[in-house]
Amino acid sequence: MQENPVYEDVIAEVGKFFADRLKHLLACGVNPEQVVLDVGLGFGKRAEDNLRLLAELNRFTIWERPLLVGASRKSFMGAASGAKIQERLPPSLACACWAAQNGAGIIRCHDVASTRHALRMTEALMKQQKNAEHFSHPQ
């Protein structure tokens, strides 16, 4: 899987995979409410593929299914930030916060307490941003 992964357009290919799988599951009688989507960071993907999936994560919200992101301590963080394995908490937190801000509802992580605090802060900021947008553009 990791030998020589090649995607012409990782966003389009993962999106097609989701569409095909969701259609198949529906045909098999699986309720869409039972489905969580995971873009598969680190699984058969190059560092640039993982970064692009995170950068464009919000594109996978079109299916209105929870998105799961498991970026914690993945090797692409070392390639992107230079962090050694033992130094990957900060990039893991950055990815978790970015994912939450861009549509992920489930974060798989190794450092639960730190991730929970970082996500709570991100959620507080997102709430303030939404409030500010509401007040600056009244209906």
Side-chain angles (χ1 to χ4, degrees):
M1 173 173 45
Q2 298 296 102
E3 292 289 319
N4 188 25
V6 176
Y7 291 89
E8 290 204 22
D9 182 343
V10 71
I11 301 300
E13 292 176 51
V14 170
K16 182 177 178 347
F17 174 80
F18 285 162
D20 292 347
R21 294 291 84 202
L22 287 166
K23 183 178 176 182
H24 177 74
L25 290 169
L26 186 61
C28 291
V30 174
N31 184 328
E33 296 295 316
Q34 296 173 287
V35 177
V36 171
L37 302 177
D38 181 349
V39 295
L41 296 177
F43 292 95
K45 303 194 180 60
R46 301 165 296 186
E48 59 266 26
D49 297 327
N50 292 304
L51 291 170
R52 182 149 180 240
L53 285 165
L54 281 168
E56 299 188 47
L57 188 65
N58 61 357
R59 293 187 51 187
F60 301 110
T61 62
I62 62 169
W63 289 283
E64 298 180 346
R65 301 305 324 126
L67 292 175
L68 180 148
V69 171
S72 183
R73 300 185 191 172
K74 295 279 172 102
S75 62
F76 77 88
M77 292 179 184
S81 72
K84 296 179 178 96
I85 292 173
Q86 66 274 19
E87 301 170 333
R88 291 189 187 158
L89 177 59
S92 294
L93 296 175
C95 288
C97 294
W98 175 270
Q101 189 174 7
N102 287 279
I106 304 167
I107 305 294
R108 187 207 49 82
C109 65
H110 292 89
D111 304 283
V112 176
S114 296
T115 304
R116 182 179 65 242
H117 290 303
L119 289 171
R120 284 183 179 159
M121 189 67 211
T122 300
E123 290 166 351
L125 291 166
M126 289 168 57
K127 182 178 179 182
Q128 286 302 312
Q129 183 180 44
K130 194 174 278 187
N131 288 342
E133 288 171 359
H134 174 74
F135 288 117
S136 65
H137 305 328
Q139 307 303 354

